[in-house]
Amino acid sequence: MVHRYGPHIFHTADQRAWDYIQQFGTFQPYINRVKAISQGRMYTLPVNLLTINQFFNTTMSPKEARAFIAEKADTSIKEPKNFEEQALSMIGPELYKAFFYGYTRKQWGLEPTELPASILKRLPLRFNYDDNYFNHPYQGMPEEGYSAIVENILKSENIEVRLNTKFEDLSEEFQHVFYTGPIDRYFDFRLGRLGYRTLDFERIDSDGDYQGAAVINYCDQDVPFTRISEHKHFAPWEADSLKKTVSFREYSRLAEPKDVPYYPIRLANEKTMLDNYISLARATKGVSFLGRLGTYRYLDMDVTISEALKACDQIDELLAADTQLPAFFIDPS
Ligand SMILES: Cc1cc2nc3c(=O)[nH]c(=O)nc-3n(C[C@H](O)[C@H](O)[C@H](O)COP(=O)(O)OP(=O)(O)OC[C@H]3O[C@@H](n4cnc5c(N)ncnc54)[C@H](O)[C@@H]3O)c2cc1C
């Protein structure tokens, strides 16, 4: 079960999304534990007490580490203006350079000083030995893979699937359209193209165990890829029985028109363009824009499901009141 569009781990705090997805397949328990290589040494992520102690060659307790990092934090930065200032004001220069600077630069193709401070909202450190990458209470992997989940969803008699059919080539009239393709594409890119990052995957086939973990991040700027994912470790219940293994190096770059759009950039220019597309969408009757592409936001799978279910709740109410359905059920701005 190779994740063709990048590794996907289902994790959520939303009981409804968790119950919903489990109707369509069995989820095996899975905890994402990410490793990181920085300046020739191996660490665990998110940056936790083990990372801190290994990095500084110490044996600090949680309390000691908190005080130590508070000393490192740059208190002269009162109102951080960008990602770098935000990180320096929270964790100081050493951890920032080792774990955030190079990785962020590779991921976004920009200097962290050009990225908004808002990307780092919470302190990206843990003062205990918890190395579970996600904070959510529910986390799992579909036993038969995501394709089986989607196949099961599509078994509904209310769904007709047409493969290899572009939305814009359909000639029928619909009472209402729920459009989950790119919002700029819906309007023929007439205001320009919203920027995305895309990923190139370089496949590595080998025997046995390639790296011993599902995900290893490469934090240094001089390593051109951001991480390597070894896909059999996403299925720990069967990994040991597999003699061969498939891994992928991940390279991030700006998306060209022909590429699969992965991460919306959402910097000042894109936000302005998005606002203009939102105005066009609001003026378009009979269409609602949903999903990560329809609203130009990074959404995890559980959030995509939660939002779709919320939209369904509102649809019933709006139809009962004989009201036109809105262009957006969730404000994408
Ligand atoms: C690298 C990467 C890793 C991720 N990892 C995780 C993770 O670990 N956990 C997690 O919860 N989420 C993860 N996500 C997010 C997850 O992929 C999204 O939540 C999910 O794909 C959103 O579903 P969607 O239906 O909105 O969009 P999509 O899944 O992109 O579906 C939109 C569909 O519309 C089709 N389409 C577009 N335009 C047209 C058109 N004009 N005509 C016809 N069809 C069209 C597209 O081909 C696509 O199939 C990750 C995303 C990326 C990029």
Side-chain angles (χ1 to χ4, degrees), residues 3 5-11 32 107 134 141 146 162 164-169 179-182 185-186 197 199 201 227 234 250 260-264 290-295 297-305:
H3 302 193
Y5 298 97
H8 278 66
I9 298 132
F10 199 94
H11 55 96
N32 200 30
Q107 181 79 343
F134 299 113
M141 280 298 200
Y146 291 99
R162 296 189 208 167
N164 303 316
T165 309
K166 290 190 184 118
F167 169 74
E168 46 275 29
D169 294 344
Y179 177 82
T180 64
R185 178 166 170 170
Y186 184 89
R197 302 291 291 173
L199 297 174
F201 294 101
R227 59 181 181 178
F234 291 117
E250 239 172 77
V260 180
Y262 277 15
Y263 300 108
L290 291 167
R292 69 177 193 104
L293 299 167
T295 60
R297 286 174 305 152
Y298 177 83
L299 300 179
D300 273 328
M301 293 180 283
D302 65 318
V303 180
T304 312
I305 291 171

Side-chain angles (χ1 to χ4, degrees), residues 4-23:
R4 285 186 50 196
Y5 298 97
H8 278 66
I9 298 132
F10 199 94
H11 55 96
T12 189
D14 181 355
Q15 183 75 49
R16 193 179 182 198
W18 184 234
D19 292 343
Y20 178 83
I21 198 70
Q22 288 188 98
Q23 297 174 72

Side-chain angles (χ1 to χ4, degrees), residues 34-149:
V34 176
K35 303 284 172 272
I37 296 177
S38 175
Q39 296 154 16
R41 293 186 63 190
M42 198 81 200
Y43 299 97
T44 81
L45 287 182
V47 178
N48 60 71
L49 196 47
L50 185 63
T51 329
I52 296 170
N53 274 327
Q54 286 181 334
F55 186 80
F56 291 105
N57 212 6
T58 49
T59 55
M60 289 182 280
S61 67
K63 198 174 163 193
E64 288 165 341
R66 245 179 226 285
F68 180 79
I69 296 297
E71 278 288 303
K72 297 266 171 207
D74 186 340
T75 49
S76 71
I77 305 171
K78 301 281 180 240
E79 280 180 27
K81 287 190 289 300
N82 55 52
F83 178 97
E84 179 162 302
E85 289 190 3
Q86 180 80 313
L88 293 174
S89 73
M90 288 170 155
I91 60 175
E94 296 96 333
L95 292 174
Y96 165 65
K97 287 216 180 80
F99 297 106
F100 296 91
Y101 173 75
Y103 194 88
T104 307
R105 210 173 167 278
K106 288 191 284 189
Q107 181 79 343
W108 292 103
L110 290 169
E111 279 298 320
T113 45
E114 297 172 274
L115 293 166
S118 57
I119 298 185
L120 263 190
K121 286 185 200 109
R122 283 179 296 141
L123 188 68
L125 303 185
R126 290 185 188 153
F127 295 104
N128 57 29
Y129 289 97
D130 178 8
D131 65 350
N132 179 351
Y133 199 75
F134 299 113
N135 284 319
H136 287 151
Y138 304 115
Q139 193 172 164
M141 280 298 200
E143 193 172 75
E144 306 290 330
Y146 291 99
S147 301
I149 297 266

